[in-house]
Amino acid sequence: MIEIKNLYKSFNKLTVLDGLDLVFKDGGIFAILGPNGSGKTTLIKSILGMVVPDKGEILVNNSDVIGQWAYRNDINYLPQIANFPSNLTVIELINMVKNLRPKEAKETELIATFGLEPYLNKKLGNLSGGTKQKVNLVLTFMFDSPLIILDEPTTGLDPISLIHLKEIIRKEKNEGKTILITTHIMSLVEEMADEIVFLLDGKIYFKGSADTLKTQTKQHNLEHAIASLLQS
Amino acid sequence: MFKILKYSFSDLIRSRWSYVYFLFYLALGFVLLFLNNSISKAVITLMNIIIVLTPLIATIFGVMYYYNSKEFTELLLAQPIKRKQIFMGQYLGVAISLSLSLVLGLGIPFVAYGAFQSTAIFDFILLIVVGAFLNFIFVALSYSIALSNENKIKGFGYAILMWLFLAVIYDGVFLISLVVFNDYPLDKVALLATMFNPIDLSRILILLKLDISALLGYTGAVFKEFFGTNTGLITSLGLLSLWVLAPIWRINTKVKKKDF
């Protein structure tokens, strides 16, 4: 379980998180939505310890994680932009990340799923954006961790890989894991998410299921529901 | 830390630029030995090149590596590793691979020429050590500048300015102030001013070892008079180590509070 209490963060004069309170229960897919610059990535990065909050608490499984590092062993994170050292090969990178984490990895299956075998000995600098994103996905999902955080996971993926990705996410969910996703693709949210967290101006504007959001805003379509949330 | 070091090092030694740098030193070594036909003369010429060029290359490499590996650093930051270890690993990867290019690039021609049979072998070793020190100092300085500047162009600009200041402007200002304040006793000031510039410090260190008074210049002479040759050598080596440690300390404090 992740508990966020009274979280504040500003960059220079721009307040990004403004006293945010939020709880993610164990198990399920949570979609974090919001317009550009609403603090989605900052929120995720605060949980990961990449952004140091100005004030507030973040509890992962009841222990405060700000300034800690060992708890990250229980989190799989998919960053928004995949950019790797250009002179390492794919397999070297996978082995490196495996080496950095003291837990078992199941990369072979994932490499096969995303058809990465021909690229294993290629240098990362020579790969296309979509292929890099697939490598990124392998790195994220190869560990068995209770918490998975995905920042724009669909960027650059072809339709087949997208189907595979959705299957993997569902499988992880069925194993009882907590999955946080940020995305701008509403169809993905409608299809996958158990709960929507809508961020606006650094605060939680809405938290609940997609259906509740639609009834609340009297819209049939999620995109329009979000739009009317923004207008109100 | 050693895992990160291992990977950033193996990434860098396969980079085209490391080879270009290595080949440059290799060619330089052979050409200088061929032209001077004497190891000790070649060492003097090399010193003048190393003292200006090594800091420049280290500065550029340090800044470039930081900005190029930014997204990858973010991936590492999400792993269960301490921040300090990530940045120290990367820093050492850059500094060690640059120093390796220097040691091998210059070592091969000098050893082939018979440096080990020569009396100038210690001068040559000192030159390489100073070159390595300059690598560690300027990679750390430029890394710490890059850490403080989100904007790539700004970071690059500041780093180059830092090099320009220490390699060129500092001496100019120093010289002008010596002329202007001619009437005052300047020994202590000159001594102090030298300590605040790693490039000057390296130059004096090598010249003290080579014992060429003609090239020592004013600061060198003051230094020699003040410390004597051996104490001078040890003091300047110690100061160079401080020059490595200070920016490393700054990197570590900066990294603790930084948002990625």
Side-chain angles (χ1 to χ4, degrees):
Chain A
M1 187 162 84
I2 307 172
E3 277 173 273
I4 295 161
K5 291 177 190 166
N6 204 23
L7 200 68
Y8 284 89
K9 178 70 196 175
S10 48
F11 295 101
N12 296 324
K13 278 179 185 162
L14 182 75
T15 306
V16 180
L17 299 179
D18 193 11
L20 190 104
D21 286 294
L22 186 60
V23 177
F24 294 112
K25 286 176 299 200
D26 279 337
I29 300 174
F30 299 87
I32 301 171
L33 307 180
N36 299 334
S38 58
K40 302 184 294 278
T41 301
T42 307
L43 172 63
I44 282 180
K45 286 186 170 177
S46 302
I47 298 174
L48 283 160
M50 292 163 75
V51 165
V52 186
D54 299 333
K55 216 173 96 183
E57 270 182 297
I58 299 172
L59 305 169
V60 175
N61 295 327
N62 294 320
S63 64
D64 195 350
V65 296
I66 293 175
Q68 303 295 311
W69 55 276
Y71 75 99
R72 288 200 284 265
N73 197 27
D74 292 326
I75 303 178
N76 293 351
Y77 169 58
L78 180 89
Q80 207 170 57
I81 313 160
N83 207 345
F84 305 117
S86 46
N87 293 303
L88 289 181
T89 64
V90 175
I91 191 74
E92 276 172 326
L93 179 73
I94 291 173
N95 286 332
M96 170 188 179
V97 176
K98 270 166 73 178
N99 203 353
L100 290 173
R101 280 198 163 194
K103 68 200 301 188
E104 218 179 302
K106 43 172 177 38
E107 76 281 7
T108 335
E109 199 185 314
L110 284 163
I111 289 169
T113 311
F114 288 109
L116 284 173
E117 290 101 338
Y119 301 101
L120 285 182
N121 290 311
K122 291 236 165 71
K123 284 187 177 178
L124 287 151
N126 300 335
L127 300 184
S128 72
T131 316
K132 274 188 195 164
Q133 181 68 356
K134 288 180 197 169
V135 175
N136 206 1
L137 286 168
V138 172
L139 293 179
T140 309
F141 286 107
M142 68 184 181
F143 297 106
D144 184 17
S145 302
L147 177 59
I148 300 168
I149 299 176
L150 309 171
D151 201 351
E152 302 278 356
T154 54
T155 318
L157 285 185
D158 55 54
I160 300 172
S161 307
L162 194 59
I163 293 171
H164 288 312
L165 173 65
K166 286 179 188 167
E167 275 167 13
I168 294 170
I169 295 177
R170 269 192 210 104
K171 208 184 89 202
E172 299 283 359
K173 181 197 162 187
N174 292 337
E175 285 172 19
K177 293 178 180 172
T178 313
I179 301 156
L180 311 183
I181 304 178
T182 73
T183 182
H184 287 291
I185 299 172
M186 288 306 135
S187 59
L188 185 78
V189 175
E190 237 172 340
E191 199 181 328
M192 313 282 299
D194 297 314
E195 206 168 289
I196 292 173
V197 174
F198 192 80
L199 276 181
L200 191 66
D201 299 330
K203 283 196 174 103
I204 303 295
Y205 210 75
F206 173 86
K207 189 168 183 283
S209 70
D211 291 330
T212 322
L213 179 63
K214 280 190 228 164
T215 8
Q216 197 180 315
T217 53
K218 299 184 188 96
Q219 299 283 344
H220 299 294
N221 172 306
L222 191 61
E223 255 161 44
H224 286 103
I226 297 280
S228 72
L229 251 192
L230 279 172
Q231 278 154 9
S232 60
Chain B
M1 185 175 87
F2 289 104
K3 285 175 188 167
I4 309 279
L5 166 63
K6 196 179 116 198
Y7 284 97
S8 70
F9 180 73
S10 65
D11 176 39
L12 274 161
I13 54 162
R14 272 178 283 173
S15 129
R16 190 159 29 112
W17 291 107
S18 297
Y19 285 106
V20 171
Y21 193 46
F22 164 71
L23 289 173
F24 167 77
Y25 274 128
L26 196 70
L28 188 73
F30 276 117
V31 167
L32 284 181
L33 282 170
F34 177 75
L35 289 177
N36 285 304
N37 217 1
S38 140
I39 288 184
S40 46
K41 277 184 194 158
V43 166
I44 297 169
T45 321
L46 256 183
M47 178 203 77
N48 284 313
I49 297 170
I50 283 189
I51 269 170
V52 178
L53 197 74
T54 310
L56 176 66
I57 304 283
T59 304
I60 294 174
F61 253 79
V63 176
M64 251 172 37
Y65 190 80
Y66 175 80
Y67 288 117
N68 281 346
S69 59
K70 223 170 164 230
E71 284 89 3
F72 182 63
T73 308
E74 286 185 12
L75 188 132
L76 291 178
L77 283 165
Q79 306 297 331
I81 325 165
K82 277 187 200 158
R83 282 186 170 194
K84 195 175 156 183
Q85 294 184 340
I86 297 173
F87 287 92
M88 282 301 102
Q90 290 186 342
Y91 159 68
L92 288 174
V94 179
I96 292 175
S97 71
L98 282 178
S99 303
L100 201 71
S101 291
L102 175 82
V103 171
L104 289 180
L106 289 178
I108 292 169
F110 274 78
V111 168
Y113 193 83
F116 280 115
Q117 279 81 47
S118 153
T119 46
I121 178 68
F122 290 110
D123 298 346
F124 176 69
I125 288 174
L126 184 72
L127 183 74
I128 296 285
V129 168
V130 167
F133 258 116
L134 286 173
N135 273 330
F136 277 86
I137 292 168
F138 278 85
V139 173
L141 285 173
S142 61
Y143 222 80
S144 123
I145 289 175
L147 263 173
S148 313
N149 287 287
E150 280 300 305
N151 187 326
K152 216 177 188 169
I153 313 273
K154 253 190 185 168
F156 217 91
Y158 285 142
I160 295 292
L161 267 180
M162 181 262 309
W163 170 80
L164 197 71
F165 178 74
L166 291 176
V168 184
I169 300 171
Y170 194 90
D171 275 3
V173 172
F174 187 42
L175 215 66
I176 291 169
S177 61
L178 286 185
V179 173
V180 171
F181 299 106
N182 201 6
D183 301 336
Y184 301 91
L186 288 169
D187 305 20
K188 295 272 159 59
V189 180
L191 201 67
L192 213 68
T194 313
M195 289 173 187
F196 281 104
N197 186 341
I199 295 182
D200 276 351
L201 213 55
S202 315
R203 184 181 293 133
I204 286 170
L205 179 60
I206 296 170
L207 291 174
L208 278 176
K209 177 75 181 77
L210 292 176
D211 209 11
I212 317 161
S213 342
L215 284 176
L216 264 178
Y218 181 67
T219 41
V222 171
F223 213 86
K224 193 175 174 184
E225 201 185 276
F226 193 78
F227 289 117
T229 305
N230 277 330
T231 332
L233 276 177
I234 293 164
T235 313
S236 41
L237 269 177
L239 285 171
L240 280 180
S241 315
L242 278 184
W243 263 102
V244 180
L245 294 176
I248 287 183
W249 176 81
R250 186 171 182 272
I251 291 173
N252 282 331
T253 36
K254 192 90 202 161
V255 149
K256 247 185 236 163
K257 291 183 206 128
K258 192 169 162 63
D259 299 315
F260 292 90

